[in-house]
Amino acid sequence: MARQSNAGLIILPSPLGQVHREMIVKLAAQHRLPAVYPWRYFVASGGLMSYGADTLDIFRRSAFYIDRILKGEKPATLPAQQPTKYELVVNLKAARALDLEVPPTLLGRADEVIE
């Protein structure tokens, strides 16, 4: 992929990606591949940007289920829910290392910008 022009990576959420986070971020930077990751901690480790479900919001919303189960509801009767809050995090240091200019409109939409 590094030999192709305009190549990039989209890392999907997976346990394997979580375990090898540091190596994935390091190799993407080493081969100058822009990458979008599923969670903020990839960006905190030096990745370019992440867009994914806000895990803290998911944990907060899980309290609703715990409350209903403790009050006697059967877990099988509770509705499945999808994430409702997503977050965009951009790492400007990684963008500069890749010689990428991040548009101001994208920075304006970001929930967090790491300098």
Side-chain angles (χ1 to χ4, degrees):
M1 289 182 72
R3 291 185 210 121
Q4 298 176 3
S5 63
N6 298 323
L9 299 172
I10 298 174
I11 306 300
L12 299 175
S14 74
L16 189 62
Q18 289 177 329
V19 170
H20 298 291
R21 172 183 80 233
E22 297 289 333
M23 181 178 62
I24 293 168
V25 170
K26 179 182 172 187
L27 287 171
Q30 179 181 336
H31 293 286
R32 300 185 47 78
L33 288 169
V36 178
Y37 301 96
W39 295 293
R40 181 202 178 286
Y41 54 81
F42 280 88
V43 180
S45 296
L48 177 62
M49 67 176 52
S50 68
Y51 183 74
D54 183 340
T55 52
L56 289 177
D57 184 59
I58 292 170
F59 291 137
R60 280 187 206 104
R61 291 176 54 218
S62 66
F64 165 78
Y65 282 95
I66 294 168
D67 179 59
R68 289 177 66 176
I69 291 168
L70 291 175
K71 289 180 179 174
E73 271 193 65
K74 293 183 180 180
T77 63
L78 296 174
Q81 291 189 0
Q82 293 185 356
T84 58
K85 187 176 178 189
Y86 292 84
E87 66 178 350
L88 172 64
V89 181
V90 178
N91 185 332
L92 289 179
K93 182 178 177 182
R96 283 191 292 275
L98 294 169
D99 294 325
L100 293 176
E101 184 178 326
V102 181
T105 53
L106 183 63
L107 291 175
R109 295 186 64 106
D111 296 294
E112 183 179 355
V113 177
I114 298 173
E115 300 273 344

